[in-house]
Amino acid sequence: MTQPSLYDLDRSDWGEFLSDEPKFRVDQIFNGLYHQGKELDELTSLPQTLRARLKSELPTALQTVTQQVSDNGETTKFLWQLSGGARVETVLMLYPDRATVCISSQAGCAMGCSFCATGQAGFERQLSAGEIIEQVVRARRVAAEQQPPRRVSNIVFMGMGEPMANFDNTWAAVQRIHDDMEIGARHITVSTVGLIPGINRMAAEALPVNLAVSLHAADDELRNELVPINRKYPLQDLMDACANYFAATHRRVSFEWAMIHDVNDRISDAQALAGLAQPLRAHINLIPLNPTPGYAVRGSSRNRVRAFREELERLGINVTVRDTRGTEIDAACGQLRAGHEATPVNRPQRRSPLAE
């Protein structure tokens, strides 16, 4: 059995682990690690012998390989090494009065989305709940060190991996980020390429977090190419699962749409997307495609993105063009690959290159 890491233990586990210590030790540890964001060496309220024991028996999971900062200083990408040698990445995005952390749920990804660097690199292993949580803890420390200090207000499961394919550990992390780190459900977003069993399981949970679906195509033919899991969970079934999630949680679903030149950026694509979004009152996030080494297709032009957005707005759809951050350090959406080589994929051939 793999040795648990410091952040793998929940409050109940800590009670068992410290059964020979006074009961208030658990509160001291939780207050120090999660509320104050301290490292073990800084928990001076604990006896030195206990701190030494914890460091020996419960090591941290993430070893820093690199920490890159974008040119404007607003984006930091962390490359971590895990036990066994797997590597994952985390992205911290700074805003004037807050910060968002984009976290990974797997080392690599088995979903094989053609335009995503993580999918091009393949799957390595699942992350434990502690490995997921520690990403937030470590990024939050860096945010607090900024001038002025930033408070991490939002967590998005949009890093490496498919969260629904690691549901148990993802959901354990969600609950503890909410309970132990006091980040509200409406500030936590779990993204998926469309694993319906995971969406249904999340709909049955008591914590109504935000659901983001990486859609990218509004018909099965194209989506089968871009997002291969669509062959197993086709669009109509996926829309039914999204409707069920909205009904159960009263949380508006968002659709992510990578804007790919001459592939899914025509006016007719916008109209088809609106047809899916309208019944759900879904929000659309348009993401100009970020370059990846294994996908030799460029993102849509600004004019195409603007025309696409305007058509959605004309049809009454709530739409946002996502701010692109950290492309120069490969920290933007779809670029995380933890240094792995990408396997080149063919561009979709179905779309006509003629603009409408």
Side-chain angles (χ1 to χ4, degrees), residues 3 6 14 16-21 40 47-59:
Q3 181 184 25
L6 180 64
W14 275 110
E16 293 182 20
F17 187 82
L18 298 175
S19 59
D20 56 343
E21 293 282 339
L40 269 180
Q48 188 171 358
T49 53
L50 178 57
R51 278 181 276 153
R53 175 191 166 198
L54 296 181
K55 287 190 70 173
S56 173
E57 297 183 25
L58 295 171

Side-chain angles (χ1 to χ4, degrees), residues 325-344:
R325 287 168 163 255
T327 53
E328 74 273 21
I329 57 171
D330 289 340
C333 184
Q335 291 188 311
L336 303 186
R337 59 191 178 102
H340 292 291
E341 292 298 320
T343 301

Side-chain angles (χ1 to χ4, degrees), residues 114-236:
S114 57
F115 52 87
C116 175
T118 308
Q120 293 161 16
F123 175 75
E124 196 161 356
R125 75 166 175 85
Q126 308 282 23
L127 268 60
S128 71
E131 289 168 334
I132 297 170
I133 292 164
E134 189 175 335
Q135 295 173 65
V136 181
V137 172
R138 301 279 289 272
R140 190 170 66 170
R141 284 189 198 133
V142 173
E145 293 167 355
Q146 303 301 308
Q147 294 300 325
R150 308 303 207 284
R151 176 183 62 87
V152 170
S153 61
N154 292 74
I155 305 298
V156 294
F157 283 75
M158 295 182 178
M160 297 176 66
E162 165 55 53
M164 299 299 188
N166 186 18
F167 187 89
D168 290 341
N169 291 337
T170 291
W171 193 252
V174 165
Q175 290 181 305
R176 290 180 51 202
I177 289 168
H178 176 269
D179 296 344
D180 301 337
M181 305 186 76
E182 299 180 335
I183 295 177
R186 67 177 59 251
H187 297 285
I188 301 172
T189 299
V190 178
S191 178
T192 179
V193 294
L195 270 65
I196 291 174
I199 295 173
N200 291 339
R201 286 184 67 183
M202 205 164 78
E205 296 288 347
L207 199 61
V209 300
N210 301 311
L211 172 66
V213 177
S214 295
L215 200 61
H216 311 305
D219 65 83
D220 285 319
E221 182 182 355
L222 179 59
R223 197 164 193 269
N224 287 346
E225 291 187 66
L226 296 177
V227 186
I229 198 67
N230 190 74
R231 299 185 182 102
K232 184 173 184 179
Y233 302 116
L235 272 170
Q236 187 54 59

Side-chain angles (χ1 to χ4, degrees), residues 11-32:
R11 188 173 283 272
S12 174
D13 295 329
W14 275 110
E16 293 182 20
F17 187 82
L18 298 175
S19 59
D20 56 343
E21 293 282 339
K23 290 185 177 181
F24 63 79
R25 292 288 185 224
V26 174
D27 290 333
Q28 287 180 318
I29 289 171
F30 262 72
N31 183 56

